[in-house]
Amino acid sequence: MSDSAFHVLANLAQRSRTSAAGLPARQDAAPRWSGIGFALLGQKFVAPMSHVSELMELPSATRLPGVQPWVIGLSNVRGRLLPLFDLALFFGGSMTSPKKHQRVLVLETDSLYSGIVVDRAFGMQHFTSDSYTQVDDGMPESIEGFVEGAYNDMHGEKWPVFSMARLAGDNRFTNAALV
């Protein structure tokens, strides 16, 4: 009886292999670009995956004396002190969503570990590389220097690419002490 069961299973395996559809050809797939989507000043942006090491809810923070108003404070995240910055206030605006929707994009480089607070996060966003385009007019002047083009999603919506690296290299951002 076990020989019969073995032959039935072998026959089933053979039929499965012959009727299985193959995987799509690799050359048919368009190159893709991925980033973390977020909202700031009422507009959607996307930051390159390589610029954001973590996405988290807004933790409690301790205020710091003698700093710019856009510095929210320091937060203890898994034993590390994470400075938190209100990105909308840095650009001269204000947050438009309640605190429960605000998120922190963690920027971590060799010399900088910072939490950038944004109105809302949309998680990973994927775009085809050929949908890259220049940013149209209408971008707030204070943000223009931090945007490196844009991607169009499959619905035709434009997502400007916000460079966290440019933010980390900006002297106004890295020198947050009141003068």
Side-chain angles (χ1 to χ4, degrees):
M1 187 169 221
S2 65
D3 282 338
S4 175
F6 175 76
H7 291 304
V8 168
L9 288 175
N11 185 23
L12 181 63
Q14 177 60 34
R15 285 189 296 163
S16 293
R17 280 191 292 273
T18 58
S19 64
L23 294 173
R26 187 109 172 118
Q27 66 270 18
D28 292 346
R32 301 187 62 80
W33 184 90
S34 299
I36 301 293
F38 65 95
L40 175 68
L41 300 174
Q43 186 167 352
K44 289 181 177 180
F45 291 90
V46 65
M49 292 289 294
S50 61
H51 292 188
V52 179
S53 64
E54 188 174 355
L55 176 64
M56 67 174 64
E57 291 185 0
L58 184 62
S60 59
T62 302
R63 295 281 306 153
L64 298 171
V67 295
Q68 297 290 339
W70 43 267
V71 177
I72 296 171
L74 280 177
S75 182
N76 185 341
V77 177
R78 293 180 296 283
R80 291 180 74 184
L81 291 178
L82 177 68
L84 297 173
F85 303 98
D86 182 332
L87 194 56
L89 196 56
F90 176 76
F91 287 119
S94 63
M95 292 285 180
T96 59
S97 65
K99 280 195 187 269
K100 69 179 182 177
H101 294 297
Q102 294 173 6
R103 294 293 181 261
V104 178
L105 304 176
V106 178
L107 169 64
E108 188 168 6
T109 65
D110 292 336
S111 61
L112 190 65
Y113 178 65
S114 301
I116 310 303
V117 180
V118 296
D119 279 317
R120 187 177 294 262
F122 302 110
M124 287 181 64
Q125 302 297 313
H126 306 283
F127 307 93
T128 57
S129 295
D130 62 356
S131 71
Y132 183 80
T133 183
Q134 295 303 313
V135 178
D136 298 337
D137 294 334
M139 182 69 53
E141 189 177 317
S142 59
I143 298 177
E144 279 180 353
F146 299 92
V147 172
E148 302 174 328
Y151 284 95
N152 292 313
D153 65 14
M154 64 178 140
H155 305 293
E157 187 173 5
K158 190 169 282 201
W159 292 71
V161 178
F162 186 90
S163 173
M164 292 292 181
R166 285 186 184 177
L167 181 67
D170 186 276
N171 285 335
R172 293 174 300 146
F173 182 75
T174 55
N175 296 318
L178 287 174
V179 183

